[in-house]
Amino acid sequence: MPSSPPNGNPISEGPFTLQMPLVVLCGLPGSGKSQRAEELRAALGAEAGKERRVFVVAEAEPVGVGGGGRAALRAEVERYLSPRDVVVVDAGNELKSFRYELYCLSKHAGTPHCLVLCLGGAACADRPPLEVPDSRNRWDWPLFTAPEDLAEPLPLPDICAALFERRPPPRNQSTRSQPLQAAGFLHQLDRLTQDVLAALMAAQRNGVQPGQFVPVAVDGLGQAPQGLLLNRPVSLAELSRLRRQFLSYAKMHPGEGEQNLPQLGSMFLQYLSRNLQ
């Protein structure tokens, strides 16, 4: 059984049939995550009944230390979360920051989640180092450990109880849908993010090379020098997709109007930097 919950949430509150649980696998390459994902697909599908499907979302390509594939993986998980389905994330999920992002997705969706640590395997040069899960962190709880011997089964009764008999964590202000901010401010943020994209595209047309820092000077970013490191050429389509994602997040978090614009502009640059590796 998992250890006590970090926030005191009860393990069992009776059945909650409308949940769409999220199972996050974690471990080094070669630890058997894909085999465990298929084991979970069969077990959770049978537990959930005929009306609930189980989707296994796997990494399409190595994410590397820079994490270029994590944004696509997160988007795929978010796409499959639905009122009746179970999502199993078959990936290394080595970084606690990314496990926290997946936890936030499940929390915003109002569904339980759990983490399954797969033992064994070996570190790989093109993977980030494993940040071992800690059940004292809410994003790493409930934490289950898969036996290193793949012939031994997962603790399936405990995992099913954590997913189907546990009340989901309450949505807090950071994950609960909020009223949209003032239309004027949203227009300014929309314009600011467009100007940032235009500056990045212009820098590429003017010959900026991969690995160079691109300064971005547009209205709304404040007085401090701003910019980001472009490690590779990026297209307008990719930038526009990230811009839409960022605006969706920003609209759910009411700020302080114009006073918050420079801070959100800096956050947008950080968001681009994190997802353009």
Side-chain angles (χ1 to χ4, degrees), residues 200 204 208-214 228-232 234 276:
L200 294 175
Q204 292 185 103
V208 66
Q209 297 299 313
Q212 288 184 325
F213 181 83
V214 180
L228 77 160
L229 186 69
L230 277 183
N231 291 317
R232 59 176 175 83
V234 293
L276 291 175

Side-chain angles (χ1 to χ4, degrees), residues 42-127:
L44 298 182
E47 172 72 17
K50 296 181 179 179
E51 295 187 358
R52 191 190 296 268
R53 297 169 296 178
V54 179
F55 292 103
V56 175
V57 179
E59 292 170 323
E61 58 186 28
V63 299
V65 176
R70 285 195 292 272
L73 180 63
R74 180 177 58 246
E76 192 76 354
V77 171
E78 189 172 16
R79 183 169 74 89
Y80 276 111
L81 282 174
S82 71
R84 294 192 303 178
D85 299 327
V86 180
V87 179
V88 179
V89 186
D90 175 15
N93 298 312
E94 296 95 339
L95 300 180
K96 63 182 179 181
S97 60
F98 187 66
R99 297 198 298 268
Y100 176 74
E101 291 183 46
L102 295 176
Y103 164 79
C104 288
L105 285 181
S106 69
K107 190 169 185 179
H108 176 65
T111 181
H113 102 300
C114 74
L115 188 71
V116 177
L117 174 63
C118 297
L119 301 176
C124 185
D126 64 351
R127 302 286 313 188

Side-chain angles (χ1 to χ4, degrees), residues 12-19 52 161 163-168:
S12 179
E13 291 286 348
F16 293 90
T17 57
L18 294 180
Q19 295 171 357
R52 191 190 296 268
L163 294 175
F164 300 114
E165 301 176 17
R166 182 169 62 91
R167 187 179 299 278

Side-chain angles (χ1 to χ4, degrees), residues 193-202 236 239-240 243 268 272:
T193 54
Q194 286 189 45
D195 289 346
V196 169
L197 264 57
L200 294 175
M201 294 304 297
L236 180 59
L239 289 171
S240 297
R243 174 179 170 272
F268 179 53
L272 291 177

